[in-house]
Amino acid sequence: MAQTTAQDICTILRGLANAGMADHAQRFFKTGKGQYGFGDRFLGIRVPVLRTLVKQHRTIPLAQLGQLLRSEYHEERLFALLGMVEQFSRSDELNKTAIYTMYLKNTQYINNWDLVDCSALYIVGAYLEDRDKQPLYALAVSKSLWERRIAMIAPFHLIRKNRFEDALAIAEILRDDKEDLIHKAVGWMLREIGKRNLTAEKRFLNIHADKMPRTMLRYAIEKFPEDQRQAYLNKTTDSRRR
């Protein structure tokens, strides 16, 4: 039986294209001039459909996924990343290294928050679990918004295993980032730490809350009791008045 190729997937996906959904996606993912997703193009295909297709074509060669990852269409890049995640989860160490390496060599194509969020923890975070975490710190100081988001989302894999050190260190590096999508990512990961160890999250907040961007703080304390939320929010307000 012939192996699935990138062209096979393109043919399938373009046959599923929906112009109305594509227009909606281009607005939702901020593709206008000056916005974070500027220039991205969409076919208009829902994520569950892509996930089903990934399962059906789970043996597509990694090189073919690499071709799809460089596509001009968002959904073809998303298919590639979901395919890489699927293959990573059942690969030996040699193939995991190949997937991880391809991922980091192609970060310019992992260029929207959904592409990062569906893949970074499952590939980068998982690969580095028992390895040197220095690649995360290099990504955290990148000029690329998306590489910085990868740096923050990848440690979610470690957070799920109650290992918070690297996530907290990267959150500190990114505390003063200028991008709203980084503020949201940092706040989200702090909240996830708090679900597992509230003391660890509060220790971080007690040091950094008065200097954190408002969005970052709001995401981090979203699940706190209202009186505690207001105490942290008022702390930042008081700090900015001084």
Side-chain angles (χ1 to χ4, degrees), residues 107-174:
T107 54
Q108 70 265 41
Y109 304 107
I110 308 170
N111 58 353
N112 216 310
W113 58 264
D114 64 319
L115 302 179
V116 172
D117 296 359
C118 78
S119 60
L121 68 156
Y122 301 109
I123 296 176
V124 179
Y127 185 78
L128 296 178
E129 178 179 346
D130 296 316
R131 293 178 170 87
D132 185 357
K133 308 301 186 294
Q134 184 54 38
L136 295 177
Y137 293 86
L139 291 167
V141 296
S142 170
K143 293 181 179 179
S144 164
L145 159 63
W146 306 116
E147 289 191 346
R148 299 198 305 278
R149 189 165 174 110
I150 289 168
M152 190 70 259
I153 299 301
F156 196 3
H157 176 84
L158 303 173
I159 292 170
R160 287 175 166 178
K161 295 178 177 294
N162 294 311
R163 293 168 57 180
F164 310 130
E165 179 182 357
D166 292 294
L168 290 168
I170 291 167
E172 183 172 1
I173 291 170
L174 294 174

Side-chain angles (χ1 to χ4, degrees), residues 6-65:
Q7 186 56 53
D8 292 334
I9 299 302
C10 289
T11 299
I12 293 169
L13 294 182
R14 294 180 196 191
L16 295 171
N18 181 300
M21 289 174 57
D23 287 343
H24 172 77
Q26 289 189 201
R27 292 191 299 273
F28 182 77
F29 286 102
K30 309 297 186 186
T31 63
K33 188 174 182 180
Q35 296 180 309
Y36 61 74
F38 175 62
D40 204 353
R41 300 181 66 187
F42 287 78
L43 293 168
I45 305 170
R46 297 189 185 280
V47 174
V49 175
L50 293 172
R51 290 189 181 278
T52 297
L53 287 170
V54 166
K55 295 290 186 182
Q56 292 172 352
H57 300 277
R58 65 198 321 174
T59 60
I60 182 173
L62 183 59
Q64 299 299 305
L65 291 176

